[in-house]
Amino acid sequence: MAALKEKLAEQIPALRNDIKALVTEHGTKVISEVTVTQAFGGMRGVKALICDTSLVEPDRGLIIRGMPIADLTDRLPEEIFYLLCTGELPDKAALADLQKEFTRRSRVPKYVWDVLKAMPPDSHPMAMLGTAILVMQKESAFKKQYDAGMKKTEYWVPALEDSLDLLARLPAVGAGIYRIRFKKGDLIGPDKKLDWGANYAHMLGVDDPKGEFANLMRLYLVLHSDHEGGNVSAHVCHTVASALSDVYYAVSAGLNGLAGPLHGLANQECLKFVLAINDKYNGVPSAEQLTEFCWSTLNSGQVIPGYGHAVLRVTDPRFTAFHAFGKRVCGDDPVFQIVARMFEVVPDILKEQGKAKDPYPNVDAGSGALLYHFGVTEFDYYTVLFGISRALGMCSQMIVNRALGAPIERPKSVGTTWVKEQVGAV
Ligand code: NMX
Ligand code: MLT
């Protein structure tokens, strides 16, 4: 049995007993309430979802299984996946075993390339990613075993199988989408000696004489891996999976949410914004010019992409990690310098405007400038990178939820009239 599966098999009985005891002993206790503002306001802050893979603290940001993301930036994405699933970093043998699993499962079926090549040439890369995943649904081990008859306690096993298959193929699928969609030439095959992130970098075909692009890809894939359970993509994925839809259906659904400009697409919007500034001022603007640009954006009713967050109330530590990477690798690049100048001026502007509850940069504020520096200038592509990383989180959440027997999601909705009656507003 592979190391990750063995570790999960060892942990799951105790986890199940723990939750059973918690619900039996404390099931009627109240952990959150819902106000009218929250019900009409996107359920912000309502604590009604369980996610044990990671937590987002408003004043600290992402914490994966008790470890702040800032302490994990030198790790490989594969290690993060193991950590998300089990709560422990893998030892050398377990990591090598997981990497072997990914290599063994990495061949992308030819029909995926046929479908991608048949899509309209101006398809958005996120539509291509979702399609590529959905078209592989017929491979699902979960679907096959469910149809054959499977006990609920076994659900996590084919969910893990499907997750490993999907994650193993995603770097090749993502790189293939880049090369097909932006006419970069033939597909580049995997190099079996490389780790998950470096292999993705290799298959994209980006010139990387110093290996820094591979480093950026590893960092990128670590930083975007998970962000607890309430963000749009994780929540959608969980809801779809709760109907016992398999990993392929659930992850592609989650990615459709990630493709929205208020969520993962903000990284492409952000670079668009930075390049518009670069064009307008013919390079890095002064603080005054940038302030003027931001105010005209806000006054025309648009958001400043890459700033604000539904949960965070401090600079996103994932932005801090990208910023540090940029300072080290491309501090003199004007596009990076615009991102750095925005970090100096935008929080004060948003504070003065007084609308955004979080005036600080989020993960999307700086990642595009780094990709741009390495020649990945097609910013429509950026959310695919986010999505491939976030598949680590979506899959690990699903494996854990299957293990714990999470039920079908079905909260109660009410109408506006009911709310009015409830609060005495009629
Ligand atoms: N620029 C301008 N206005 C903003 C911004 C911003 N960056 N962020 C929030 N606001 C506005 C927001 O539109 C809302 O206005 P209104 O009352 O007119 O509807 C008001 O401030 C209050 O919003 P918040 O409660 O602070 O934010 P909320 O939790 O609703 O939304 C985001 C969070 C992330 C959707 C929001 O901050 C935003 O639109 N940011 C820009 C897009 C972005 O960077 N998204 C990426 C998020 C990270 N990710 O990868 O998913
Ligand atoms: C994420 O990484 O999913 C974003 O920061 C959005 C969120 O957490 O709501």
Side-chain angles (χ1 to χ4, degrees):
M1 198 195 288
L4 175 57
K5 186 173 171 191
E6 210 170 306
K7 171 60 75 181
L8 285 164
E10 184 189 307
Q11 292 180 332
I12 287 168
L15 289 174
R16 284 183 183 145
N17 286 339
D18 195 35
I19 289 172
K20 202 170 162 197
L22 182 66
V23 175
T24 309
E25 286 166 38
H26 303 281
T28 55
K29 293 190 179 150
V30 175
I31 54 170
S32 198
E33 333 181 279
V34 186
T35 63
V36 173
T37 304
Q38 287 170 313
F40 281 94
M43 296 184 277
R44 212 67 86 252
V46 178
K47 297 180 188 72
L49 298 169
I50 303 297
C51 172
D52 285 323
T53 56
S54 71
L55 178 71
V56 178
E57 297 271 28
D59 58 344
R60 293 174 70 203
L62 174 61
I63 297 168
I64 298 184
R65 297 281 196 170
M67 299 185 202
I69 188 66
D71 296 346
L72 292 167
T73 52
D74 289 334
R75 297 287 179 171
L76 293 173
E78 299 90 307
E79 292 179 279
I80 302 297
F81 179 62
Y82 190 99
L83 174 66
L84 285 164
C85 289
T86 66
E88 294 172 25
L89 282 162
D91 59 19
K92 243 174 132 185
L95 173 61
D97 185 81
L98 180 57
Q99 290 179 317
K100 210 170 81 198
E101 284 290 320
F102 279 158
T103 306
R104 180 171 77 77
R105 296 165 187 261
S106 63
R107 206 187 67 77
V108 178
K110 181 182 169 295
Y111 65 79
V112 174
W113 303 128
D114 294 342
V115 168
L116 288 176
K117 286 177 185 165
M119 286 181 77
D122 54 352
S123 299
H124 193 279
M126 281 300 281
M128 295 174 80
L129 180 62
T131 302
I133 294 173
L134 205 48
V135 83
M136 288 191 282
Q137 188 275 336
K138 73 187 197 69
E139 315 271 336
S140 170
F142 185 89
K143 158 90 177 106
K144 283 177 200 136
Q145 292 186 30
Y146 189 83
D147 286 350
M150 166 173 52
K151 282 197 289 202
K152 192 171 178 183
T153 49
E154 297 299 314
Y155 287 175
W156 70 271
V157 179
L160 173 63
E161 279 296 306
D162 283 350
S163 296
L164 291 172
D165 280 342
L166 178 63
L167 292 171
R169 292 170 183 174
L170 278 181
V173 169
I177 289 171
Y178 182 64
R179 297 191 67 79
I180 293 167
R181 174 64 178 76
F182 299 106
K183 302 190 173 40
K184 296 284 178 183
D186 292 342
L187 301 182
I188 299 172
D191 177 341
K192 294 197 165 145
K193 293 185 298 303
L194 295 177
D195 55 83
W196 201 67
N199 217 348
Y200 190 178
H202 158 74
M203 289 184 282
L204 282 167
V206 172
D207 197 27
D208 190 22
K210 295 187 185 154
E212 289 291 10
F213 182 64
N215 286 336
L216 174 61
M217 290 295 288
R218 292 188 188 103
L219 179 68
Y220 200 108
L221 296 168
V222 165
L223 293 180
H224 291 82
S225 58
D226 203 33
H227 221 229
E228 67 169 45
N231 67 75
V232 168
S233 45
H235 189 193
V236 167
C237 179
H238 174 68
T239 305
V240 172
S242 80
L244 295 188
S245 299
D246 57 55
V247 163
Y248 297 90
Y249 280 130
V251 171
S252 60
L255 291 172
N256 290 338
L258 192 75
L262 295 188
H263 192 15
L265 204 82
N267 60 10
Q268 85 165 52
E269 298 299 300
C270 209
L271 194 77
K272 234 190 261 177
F273 192 81
V274 168
L275 295 182
I277 293 168
N278 194 39
D279 277 357
K280 174 153 185 184
Y281 298 106
N282 211 6
V284 186
S286 66
E288 292 69 32
Q289 288 170 322
L290 190 52
T291 302
E292 176 198 75
F293 192 93
C294 290
W295 273 115
S296 86
T297 302
L298 292 173
N299 291 337
S300 64
Q302 297 168 71
V303 296
I304 300 194
Y307 281 75
H309 201 274
V311 177
L312 291 171
R313 296 296 176 259
V314 288
T315 295
D316 190 332
R318 301 172 298 174
F319 171 82
T320 308
F322 277 135
H323 192 251
F325 183 96
K327 265 179 40 195
R328 182 176 70 74
V329 170
C330 56
D332 53 358
D333 182 322
V335 175
F336 173 74
Q337 287 177 354
I338 295 175
V339 168
R341 183 141 298 166
M342 281 182 70
F343 184 34
E344 286 159 17
V345 308
V346 172
D348 283 342
I349 296 172
L350 287 176
K351 282 182 206 165
E352 192 181 330
Q353 191 205 27
K355 276 173 74 176
K357 293 186 191 69
D358 170 43
Y360 303 108
N362 60 53
V363 67
D364 294 322
S367 56
L370 305 179
L371 294 167
Y372 199 79
H373 173 77
F374 284 99
V376 184
T377 54
E378 301 83 359
F379 44 77
D380 276 9
Y381 182 70
Y382 294 171
T383 312
V384 171
L385 289 159
F386 190 156
I388 288 178
S389 172
R390 186 52 60 89
L392 297 168
M394 290 195 272
C395 287
S396 57
Q397 291 191 20
M398 213 183 310
I399 293 162
V400 173
N401 286 326
R402 289 277 186 258
L404 299 179
I408 187 165
E409 188 130 311
R410 190 16 177 128
K412 178 80 186 85
S413 64
V414 292
T416 304
T417 309
W418 182 91
V419 176
K420 283 184 182 164
E421 284 163 3
Q422 198 68 15
V423 300
V426 278

